[in-house]
């Protein structure tokens, strides 16, 4: 891994269910780990393969190996949020992770579209 390319500070988050004061279950976003990583949009052949399955914006995030990272997490990078599709332990050496993810895009709510959490408006 070229450590100089890992110049983006990202945070891995997970939704957890907690009981509020009214004894109702609500989901809250919990920060799990903040790390340095490279964030690149997929392009060329990778982009074509990803677009065939998912028409959203697809990215590849590369970081050092962290055993607690799982596909049920989200990645926050600045104000942007990414859903993790797959986590690949490169060469099974526990040195580097390649994470394929999809950017969650919020559209104008007046026109209808997708909310920040992926639900429909």
């Amino acid at each position: 891994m070229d450590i100089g390319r890992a110049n983006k500070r990202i945070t891995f988050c997970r939704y957890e269910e907690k009981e509020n004061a009214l004894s109702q279950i609500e989901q809250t976003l919990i920060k799990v780990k903040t790390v340095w990583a490279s964030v690149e949009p997929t392009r060329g052949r990778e982009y074509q393969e990803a677009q065939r399955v998912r028409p959203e914006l697809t990215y590849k995030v590369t970081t050092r190996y962290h055993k607690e990272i799982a596909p049920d997490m989200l990645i926050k990078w600045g104000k942007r949020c990414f859903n993790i599709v797959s986590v690949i332990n490169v060469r099974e050496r526990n040195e580097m992770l390649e994470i394929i993810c999809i950017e969650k895009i919020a559209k104008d709510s007046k026109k209808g579209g997708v909310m920040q959490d992926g639900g429909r408006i």
Side-chain angles (χ1 to χ4, degrees), residues 3 25 36 39 55 70 81 97 103 113 115:
I3 201 67
I25 302 295
W36 289 101
V39 180
C81 191
L97 293 176
E103 184 173 9
M115 293 189 306

Side-chain angles (χ1 to χ4, degrees), residues 18-90:
K18 293 194 176 190
E19 194 170 305
N20 64 13
L22 301 173
S23 298
Q24 297 173 330
I25 302 295
E26 60 183 27
Q27 289 190 340
T28 56
L29 196 59
I30 305 297
K31 292 181 181 180
V32 176
K33 189 171 195 83
T34 301
V35 299
W36 289 101
S38 69
V39 180
E40 301 173 0
T42 56
R43 55 188 177 270
R45 188 170 141 202
E46 291 175 325
Y47 180 77
Q48 292 296 330
E49 290 175 7
Q51 290 299 83
R52 197 171 346 140
V53 178
R54 291 174 171 67
E56 298 93 352
L57 296 172
T58 306
Y59 288 81
K60 179 170 67 172
V61 175
T62 307
T63 186
R64 292 179 188 237
Y65 178 79
H66 304 282
K67 64 182 177 184
E68 54 274 331
I69 305 306
D72 66 340
M73 294 181 169
L74 298 171
I75 295 175
K76 295 204 51 108
W77 176 38
K79 294 184 180 183
R80 299 166 75 179
C81 191
F82 301 88
N83 286 326
I84 296 176
V85 175
S86 65
V87 178
I88 302 163
N89 183 357
V90 178

